[in-house]
Amino acid sequence: MAVVTSGPTQLEIRGVSKSFGGVQAVSRVSVDVQKGQILSIIGPNGAGKTTLLNCISSVFHPETGTIVLEGQDLTRLSPARVAGRGIARTFQNIALFRGMTVVDNLMLGRHIHMKNGVLRSMLYWGPGRREEVEHRRVVEDIIDFLEIEAIRKRPVGSLPYGLQKRVELGRALALHPKVLLLDEPMGGTNHEEKEDMARFILDVNDEWGTTIILIEHDMGVVMDISQHVVVLDLGEKIAEGTPAEVKAHPQVIKAYLGTKATV
Amino acid sequence: MIYREAGRFKTSYASDQAIFPIVQDRVFVRAAVVAAFVVPPLVAGDYWLQAILIPFLIYALAAIGLNLLTGYAGQLSLGTGGFMAVGAYSAFKLTTAFPRLSIIAVFLLSGLAAAAIGLLFGIPSLRIKGFYLAVATLAAQFFLIWLFNKVAWFTNYASSGTITAPDRTVLGVTVTGPNATAAARYVMALAFVTVFALVAKNLVRGRIGRSWMAIRDRDIAAEIIGVRPLRTKLLAFGISSFYCGVAGAELVFLYLGSAETLAFDINQSFLVLFMVIIGGLGSVLGSFLGAAFIILLPIFLTRLPHSLGLIMSVALQKQIELMIFGGLILFFLIVEPHGLARLWQIGKEKLRLWPFPH
Ligand SMILES: Nc1ncnc2c1ncn2[C@@H]1O[C@H](COP(=O)(O)OP(=O)(O)O)[C@@H](O)[C@H]1O
Ligand SMILES: [Mg+2]
């Protein structure tokens, strides 16, 4: 399907580099992300995909380059402030709060939208309690959307892997982000879970217009759901374009798709 | 008591988020609190009040405080004794400087003083974690005790170096000092721990408590969703130290009557930490269970050999006590990190299903 939408640039990644010791993980990468787009980043293991997401969400600060969201520079902000500006993410290896229930994990996704300070929290009465209930409603909507009603009171550490991935998506959605970064949301899940996840991603994009940056290995999924694809290899951007363009790109075929590519 | 979770539909999110979502639990707990205020002062003798119930309530308050920091926010502290000392010495200075100040205000202000000091010593927690943080809080412990020993101003230049609780009244009843009855001191300690246990429960089920647990469970993920680590950890240090400060003031004013810095040495820090570990990390109820256990164990160990007709020296008794603590702490850390509170919960769930366990 891949409808090409060319809205205004929402997130501008300009010449971003990041190295670890001698390893140049990301090297002068620039990407323009359009509002409402589903953009996929592909590339072999160690290509620097996760590192690029880490730079966007300020887990690391890039050594060169800038990251600008809707005209505001995010490059030097703390991760918490980046979240406040409207960027949410999931992690390749799942980073949920394992000791807490699904509801509490999702409620934490509402943290930046809540105002309850110490005094209101101590009293848990009147406005303090109202705010809790109000945000619980938002969380319950997400729980319905992701079809995880049955596990809402379970500690997330006890859930199977595929469900944890879904809960982590829910926590990111609870932030109501402008841009959602998903690091291999289908990695390690079975076929059915992959299909569910693809459906959720499309629905989120469709219903809320959320911009999505997706790292994914499954080429079928990538080609199906993304409007724009960026290819990284050894930290460098070697190609980008529509799925069809990228698939036909000779360097991509050489570097990543190899002989397995079914063009 | 027979009760069922099934069949009672959660009518709203508000009631789902209540401390005791089950009606019977709520009624039971309220009745228990009322009974705790009325029954012991009427029936318990001075020995029970003075040797068991009063220290239990005071240590429960300190344990809740440490549990907020260590159990909920995941920041290990060995400075509890020091923060309690700040509360105690502040209360002493406040009562002598402002003789007309209500003793309730004195306790609360002493808690605030401890909170300020706790905040200060919480600053390193942004950079250091786990073992290293524990060492930093240990430094706080030694520094504070050294300070109170060294600066005579804190004891109003008393040659003995002790601070003493003066007579103070609440609603005309003497609650501190040599003329306060054990029953009055008990009610006072109970009132404080009841209010602050409720406050702690409110904190941990709301936005603040969730941010603490997020930092504890996965600090980087917490930051990514917008939890600010320094602010969150400092808040935990401040509030935790407030609880410990009030408990420290109570220890002198409601229990010991007078004290030296020795009452707040490193052993106190460990004692409260043991209560938290045995009772259950991340549980307000566990803080009570842990405090009860550690207060009762030595008494039990004193009486048991006696009732069996054995003669045991005090030194040996202390050794056995330490061995039991050590063994239990290992057991709980390895086997059941949620402590007695978890065992309690398991027992309750069994009861809930009884008599139809399927
Ligand atoms: N925290 C880190 N410390 C050191 N090296 C890292 C770190 N994160 C990534 N790298 C290195 O950077 C390179 C890119 O890794 P990564 O971004 O995880 O790749 P991808 O997600 O595309 O598989 C790899 O060589 C990896 O070893
Ligand atoms: Mg990766």
Side-chain angles (χ1 to χ4, degrees):
Chain A
M1 45 173 254
V3 187
V4 181
T5 52
S6 47
T9 298
Q10 185 179 28
L11 183 70
E12 214 183 293
I13 301 164
R14 276 280 154 276
V16 165
S17 306
K18 173 74 195 167
S19 59
F20 299 99
V23 181
Q24 190 69 41
V26 173
S27 163
R28 309 208 143 273
V29 170
S30 298
V31 180
D32 280 341
V33 187
Q34 252 99 67
K35 198 174 167 76
Q37 206 171 38
I38 298 182
L39 181 147
S40 290
I41 303 176
I42 62 170
N45 273 330
K49 306 180 296 294
T50 298
T51 305
L52 186 60
L53 283 206
N54 282 338
C55 288
I56 299 172
S57 52
S58 268
V59 174
F60 304 131
H61 296 304
E63 284 132 15
T64 69
T66 54
I67 290 152
V68 177
L69 176 72
E70 298 178 348
Q72 291 183 308
D73 192 346
L74 306 181
T75 322
R76 295 281 136 201
L77 298 184
S78 68
R81 294 226 181 259
V82 170
R85 296 289 171 84
I87 294 190
R89 71 173 287 183
T90 65
F91 293 81
Q92 188 171 347
N93 303 314
I94 305 186
L96 285 166
F97 308 116
R98 294 175 59 85
M100 306 172 75
T101 62
V102 171
V103 165
D104 280 343
N105 269 272
L106 267 59
M107 284 296 279
L108 271 158
R110 299 301 300 161
H111 185 82
I112 52 169
H113 298 289
M114 296 178 75
K115 292 185 188 63
N116 276 346
V118 178
L119 283 180
R120 276 199 199 171
S121 297
M122 282 177 162
L123 293 174
Y124 209 93
W125 191 258
R129 182 153 118 169
R130 262 202 304 282
E131 190 186 65
E132 285 283 333
V133 172
E134 188 186 306
H135 289 270
R136 175 70 188 274
R137 259 190 214 113
V138 177
V139 161
E140 287 293 335
D141 286 344
I142 292 168
I143 287 177
D144 286 349
F145 170 72
L146 294 176
E147 298 155 16
I148 47 177
E149 297 91 339
I151 54 161
R152 55 156 82 77
K153 285 299 173 74
R154 293 265 300 275
V156 294
S158 71
L159 297 173
Y161 190 81
L163 275 180
Q164 291 196 21
K165 286 258 171 195
R166 208 186 278 191
V167 173
E168 202 187 21
L169 172 66
R171 184 180 67 188
L173 289 177
L175 277 95
H176 284 175
K178 293 174 180 158
V179 179
L180 181 59
L181 316 176
L182 303 174
D183 197 346
E184 303 197 18
M186 298 157 201
T189 61
N190 65 32
H191 183 71
E192 198 183 327
E193 288 166 337
K194 275 195 178 69
E195 281 191 344
D196 284 340
M197 187 57 80
R199 177 165 57 86
F200 292 135
I201 292 170
L202 284 170
D203 284 353
V204 167
N205 178 254
D206 218 46
E207 283 178 34
W208 294 311
T210 311
T211 309
I212 292 170
I213 301 179
L214 173 73
I215 297 178
E216 188 43 58
H217 278 300
D218 188 317
M219 291 311 288
V221 173
V222 168
M223 298 302 161
D224 262 6
I225 71 173
S226 36
Q227 286 122 33
H228 197 80
V229 180
V230 170
V231 189
L232 294 186
D233 187 28
L234 297 172
E236 297 193 31
K237 184 174 83 177
I238 57 168
E240 73 175 309
T242 63
E245 285 165 358
V246 163
K247 241 188 315 197
H249 199 287
Q251 229 181 321
V252 176
I253 295 170
K254 190 167 139 259
Y256 183 49
L257 300 174
T259 48
K260 279 181 289 174
T262 48
V263 183
Chain B
M1 195 164 90
I2 300 168
Y3 51 29
R4 306 254 180 279
E5 208 159 8
R8 302 208 170 270
F9 296 104
K10 311 267 162 60
T11 45
S12 70
Y13 298 134
S15 64
D16 187 41
Q17 284 164 316
I19 297 177
F20 302 105
I22 301 170
V23 178
Q24 287 95 322
D25 274 359
R26 209 148 48 219
V27 172
F28 175 76
V29 169
R30 279 184 193 151
V33 170
V34 171
F37 272 99
V38 177
V39 178
L42 293 178
V43 304
D46 268 8
Y47 171 79
W48 263 86
L49 290 170
Q50 175 63 27
I52 298 171
L53 293 174
I54 292 174
F56 158 64
L57 296 174
I58 294 171
Y59 278 106
L61 185 64
I64 294 171
L66 182 62
N67 218 334
L68 292 179
L69 181 63
T70 302
Y72 286 95
Q75 311 296 304
L76 183 54
S77 166
L78 295 174
T80 313
F83 300 136
M84 289 172 77
V86 174
Y89 282 79
S90 303
F92 175 69
K93 290 302 287 185
L94 284 165
T95 48
T96 49
F98 307 101
R100 302 179 61 83
L101 191 62
S102 149
I103 190 67
I104 293 174
V106 166
F107 282 2
L108 295 177
L109 289 172
S110 305
L112 286 180
I117 301 298
L119 269 175
L120 196 66
F121 284 104
I123 292 173
S125 68
L126 185 67
R127 289 259 174 268
I128 53 179
K129 291 175 190 172
F131 173 72
Y132 297 96
L133 181 63
V135 173
T137 57
L138 198 61
Q141 165 75 38
F142 285 117
F143 170 75
L144 289 168
I145 297 305
W146 172 83
L147 187 71
F148 292 126
N149 268 331
K150 195 80 184 167
V151 182
W153 176 80
F154 287 113
T155 56
N156 287 344
Y157 307 97
S159 55
S160 59
T162 48
I163 53 173
T164 308
D167 281 327
R168 289 291 181 274
T169 59
V170 171
L171 303 171
V173 180
T174 307
V175 292
T176 68
N179 297 317
T181 63
R185 288 180 282 123
Y186 165 83
V187 170
M188 184 81 171
L190 180 61
F192 267 89
V193 82
T194 305
V195 169
F196 283 110
L198 186 65
V199 166
K201 261 301 197 192
N202 285 344
L203 280 172
V204 299
R205 68 186 162 135
R207 177 170 182 263
I208 304 280
R210 281 192 303 265
S211 68
W212 286 342
M213 292 183 266
I215 289 282
R216 172 196 71 190
D217 280 0
R218 203 75 185 246
D219 53 359
I220 184 64
E223 272 192 83
I224 290 290
I225 54 158
V227 174
R228 313 241 292 268
L230 179 61
R231 178 192 277 238
T232 308
K233 288 179 189 175
L234 285 186
L235 200 57
F237 267 97
I239 292 176
S240 164
S241 305
F242 176 90
Y243 278 70
C244 295
V246 173
E250 288 185 5
L251 197 70
V252 176
F253 280 62
L254 302 179
Y255 177 52
L256 300 173
S258 67
E260 298 166 39
T261 48
L262 195 61
F264 300 103
D265 68 0
I266 180 70
N267 290 323
Q268 281 299 359
S269 300
F270 279 113
L271 198 67
V272 179
L273 184 63
F274 292 168
M275 290 175 183
V276 170
I277 292 172
I278 291 177
L281 287 160
S283 162
V284 172
L285 170 69
S287 310
F288 283 94
L289 297 177
F293 185 86
I294 287 195
I295 298 286
L296 286 173
L297 184 67
I299 293 168
F300 181 74
L301 285 181
T302 319
R303 300 209 154 177
L304 183 71
H306 195 71
S307 59
L308 292 177
L310 292 171
I311 296 161
M312 200 189 270
S313 73
V314 176
L316 180 61
Q317 209 175 289
K318 277 273 163 241
Q319 307 247 327
I320 293 180
E321 196 182 308
L322 282 176
M323 280 162 59
I324 294 182
F325 280 170
L328 280 170
I329 282 159
L330 283 179
F331 169 79
F332 279 117
L333 280 179
I334 295 166
V335 182
E336 186 50 82
H338 298 293
L340 292 172
R342 177 77 191 130
L343 300 182
W344 170 277
Q345 201 187 345
I346 292 170
K348 227 174 82 168
E349 260 148 35
K350 292 243 166 72
L351 195 68
R352 184 171 300 167
L353 293 171
W354 182 88
F356 308 109
H358 286 293

